[in-house]
Amino acid sequence: MSILTPYIESAVVLDLFAGSGALGLEALSRGAASAVFVERGPAALDLIRSNIELLGVGDRARIVKGDAMRFVADLGAGAFDIAFADPPYAEDHATRLVETFRHLPFASILAVEHSSRIQLDGDTRIYGDTAITFCHAP
């Protein structure tokens, strides 16, 4: 998150494969204007709702129940300022997500957490078994 700090203030943020919503909520706590959380798991959706309520950011948050890959397929170029994604490592969503972004950059910056065994096109930082790749729109 600290790498993106200069871009977060007033940003419109997308949190894909949101899980607990931690990435989007952290962005909101650092001054993002709004965040959209996309998640399909019922337990995770309940957790996101609970965390949004607990932090009192309901007026700046929107939850979308659904598949993250389908959600981004329907976006236009530049729909978001920053997009975070933490897809399941067992599936190859990270590669597909970056390919989708390269074809139609739906955010100015895409930050994807993935297994360090996968190489993605972008600025990749490796932290043990985890990597984060930052992709910038042209």
Side-chain angles (χ1 to χ4, degrees), residues 72-121:
V72 297
D74 292 335
L75 294 176
F80 291 88
D81 297 310
I82 302 171
F84 297 103
D86 186 8
Y89 287 12
E91 301 173 38
D92 196 21
H93 292 304
T95 301
R96 288 181 39 226
L97 188 59
V98 170
E99 288 171 357
T100 299
F101 180 82
R102 293 293 182 217
H103 177 70
L104 183 66
F106 50 83
S108 296
I109 301 169
L110 170 64
V112 182
E113 184 175 324
H114 57 92
S115 167
S116 60
R117 290 174 290 196
I118 296 173
Q119 293 183 339
L120 298 178
D121 178 28

Side-chain angles (χ1 to χ4, degrees), residues 26-101:
E26 180 67 22
L28 288 172
S29 77
R30 292 179 184 229
S34 63
V36 174
F37 301 85
V38 181
E39 177 57 58
R40 66 179 179 191
L45 288 163
D46 288 342
L47 185 55
I48 294 167
R49 282 186 200 95
S50 176
N51 287 338
I52 287 170
E53 185 178 324
L54 181 68
L55 296 172
V57 293
D59 59 328
R60 299 187 299 150
R62 181 169 67 100
I63 300 171
V64 175
K65 179 182 179 181
D67 181 86
M69 296 304 299
R70 286 191 187 130
F71 183 83
V72 297
D74 292 335
L75 294 176
F80 291 88
D81 297 310
I82 302 171
F84 297 103
D86 186 8
Y89 287 12
E91 301 173 38
D92 196 21
H93 292 304
T95 301
R96 288 181 39 226
L97 188 59
V98 170
E99 288 171 357
T100 299
F101 180 82

Side-chain angles (χ1 to χ4, degrees), residues 4-24:
L4 296 176
T5 295
Y7 309 101
I8 291 177
E9 184 71 33
S10 301
V12 178
V13 173
L14 176 61
D15 189 346
L16 297 165
F17 306 95
S20 67
L23 295 171

